[in-house]
Amino acid sequence: MLKAWHLPVAPFVKQQSDRLSITLWLTGDSLPQRVTLRAEQDNEEISLPMRRLKRQPEPGVTAWRAEIALDQGQPRRRYCFKLLWDNRQRWFTPQGFSAFAPARLEQFAIDAPDSGPQWVADQVFYQIFPDRFARSLPREAEQDNVYYHHAAGHDIVLRNWDEPLTARAGGSIFYGGDLDGIGEKLPYLKKLGVTALYLNPVFTAPSVHKYDTADYRHVDPQFGGDRALLRLRQSTFREGMRLILDGVFNHSGDTHPWFDRHQQGADGACHNPESSWRDWYSFSAEGQALDWLGYASLPKLDYRSESLLNEIYRGEDSIVRYWLKAPWSMDGWRLDVVHMLGEAGGARNNLQHVAGITRAAKETQPEAYVVGEHFGDARQWLQADAEDAAMNYRGFTFPLWGFLANTDISYDPQLIDAQTCMAWMDNYRAGLSHQQQLRMFNQLDSHDTARFKSLLGKDVARLPLAVVWLFTWPGVPCIYYGDEVGLDGNNDPFCRKPFPWDPEKQDAALLALYQRLAALRHRYPALRYGGCQVLYAEDNVVVFIRVWRQERALVAINRGDACEVVLDASPLLAVKAWLCKEGSGALHEDVLTLPAVSASVWLGR
């Protein structure tokens, strides 16, 4: 049987001066007579003959090689392999063999040169919902100011840290977490292995979640104001930690002076057709403002307005640019519901404006990291380089939910086996360049979903399997605050509980697992930069390998009973020795012995 191996990393891909050397490995009884490399030059297909190398990379393995010129063409180098016999042909792509030529966007892809932020793949991110992570003492008076929350129809409610969260008025309940509290906990985060923070919105807004922005240029007084953010930024600089902010540019809040629904003297667009901000929003023929998904407190911004474009991203002192400049010098933006942003109350010309935001960010801070929030398929934006990465719900979170928790994003039942899970994840990855895969933002859950621990229900013993997967799959891992100590909670608001700082309320074993895996990821480049090949996916068991130069990381996930798995012979497994770095079980030649409900990581060179 014919078998082929190629990953878009060394030893299969090597850059030499202005040429990219690309190698395919083959074994089998009926090897092709010719192999050609299907590549591109300025989006036009070209066919390059590959030469068979005399030297075998491994016994029984033949190697074919061709070179792509890097001094011409587009930076994203897409390619696949055409295998030819005297009477037939086959194609080899990231998803294996095909009898016909693959779609353009489902081929191997390497960015050479790679203009994306180089620092991202090395990070372990930590997402913080500021009101619920840590409360500093002493506090300034305005941090505990009680005010009327128009969207809720009553005053906000202040609670003590140890009071239980309830379903009542979730957007109006404050526990007093703030930015100085985050700063005080940086030593904890460093010990955890965190190197980068993503904060939910910190700008002035009436709700606890702050997605109803009232002022994009100032930090909410409840979080400590501008000075608190500056203190946190200086602390992260000292600790060598990155920091990205949440940009809510699809809509503002209705209390923003631009809109001024409650007529607080700003002469906003809501009630005044002559307002200078009127064309920053869309209105129906009856004069009703168009909002986001029926939330009247979140009026949609209308990107037909030239002055709005200048304010949000295009102008030299735009909001996007402002927070990336000194003294803030933020490392990037997470863009909220960015696929919905656009003109005339909808998403018209969306891609143009998302690309404009990213371009402004890069002009201001070339290494800025721009991450889009997409619960659906984000590849349209990524393939157009409108973003650096996306929150990887579709390519990571949801397949994991289906395989380990048997649910989908609608919380409907979804029972999938290992083969389906890996086909899903590999199909999604196939549409992205290798570098984009490494920068995808992987999470088990977030402030917008139930906690993964709660989704598991009676299968909570599978939680460590997901944690191992998070730190070993291509992409940058992000821990949602509290996951590492076993915080649970169903959908909003219960997924936003205060962090349990009392050690008696923490899962010490789970915390230790997170610490070990973060350390493992920081230590081994294969887990940060490696190509990924699924070696086995049947029933309850997934086995994949990360490859980086001579280093290998083998990961086995077993959601079911104890079993033995026989791996197909592969030159990728040819290492001097395998060392088990996490989990238990045994690996002898091509046989894996796996305990029930387990995850294991082996390293080899």
Side-chain angles (χ1 to χ4, degrees), residues 30-154:
S30 179
L31 294 175
Q33 297 162 337
R34 291 185 294 129
V35 180
T36 62
L37 182 71
R38 184 275 186 202
E40 292 181 354
Q41 183 172 318
D42 293 329
N43 302 327
E44 176 70 12
E45 292 189 18
I46 59 174
S47 183
L48 303 173
M50 302 190 76
R51 66 185 186 279
R52 181 170 173 171
L53 304 183
K54 294 180 180 179
R55 183 179 177 182
Q56 294 183 331
E58 297 291 339
V61 178
T62 63
W64 296 73
R65 181 170 295 166
E67 295 179 337
I68 295 176
L70 296 179
D71 58 355
Q72 54 188 325
Q74 302 303 306
R76 181 150 300 143
R77 317 292 172 166
R78 301 187 188 278
Y79 62 91
C80 61
F81 304 95
K82 185 180 184 181
L83 285 60
L84 291 157
W85 293 260
D86 58 5
N87 62 349
R88 60 192 176 98
Q89 63 179 251
R90 294 180 78 181
W91 295 76
F92 185 69
T93 75
Q95 298 182 82
F97 285 113
S98 171
F100 55 88
R104 178 172 182 263
L105 298 179
E106 292 190 356
Q107 303 184 47
F108 296 102
I110 297 174
D111 293 330
D114 174 23
S115 61
Q118 301 299 305
W119 56 272
V120 172
D122 289 319
Q123 309 307 308
V124 171
F125 268 88
Y126 194 85
Q127 179 190 347
I128 295 176
F129 193 84
D131 182 69
R132 307 290 165 80
F133 181 62
R135 177 184 174 106
S136 68
L137 293 172
R139 298 170 62 76
E140 298 181 17
E142 60 265 31
Q143 289 189 261
D144 295 313
N145 180 40
V146 174
Y147 55 85
Y148 187 77
H149 186 189
H150 289 91
H154 56 72

Side-chain angles (χ1 to χ4, degrees), residues 339-392:
H339 52 285
M340 301 185 75
L341 174 154
E343 302 172 5
R348 185 184 303 168
N349 289 325
N350 170 267
L351 203 57
Q352 168 189 324
H353 296 298
V354 177
I357 290 172
T358 298
R359 185 165 53 250
K362 304 290 187 180
E363 289 171 354
T364 309
Q365 161 56 284
E367 283 286 288
Y369 180 40
V370 181
V371 185
E373 181 208 20
H374 304 267
F375 272 83
D377 190 342
R379 288 174 293 185
Q380 174 184 350
W381 291 266
L382 297 167
Q383 289 160 353
D385 291 313
E387 305 164 344
D388 291 312
M391 297 183 77
N392 202 11

Side-chain angles (χ1 to χ4, degrees), residues 198-237:
Y198 150 48
L199 306 184
N200 284 111
V202 298
F203 305 127
T204 304
S207 72
V208 69
H209 53 72
K210 308 299 179 193
Y211 283 97
D212 48 347
T213 314
D215 187 342
Y216 287 96
R217 294 185 182 269
H218 291 288
V219 175
D220 198 291
Q222 290 174 301
F223 293 161
D226 293 357
R227 289 177 297 176
L229 182 60
L230 193 55
R231 286 191 292 270
L232 177 60
R233 189 63 185 120
Q234 291 166 346
S235 296
T236 56
F237 277 136

Side-chain angles (χ1 to χ4, degrees), residues 262 269-270 272 329 331 354 373 428 458 467 479 495 546 551:
H262 308 293
C270 183
N272 181 11
S329 302
D331 291 298
V354 177
E373 181 208 20
Y428 198 82
K458 62 181 177 59
V467 178
I479 306 164
C495 57
R546 301 291 303 276
E551 188 174 275

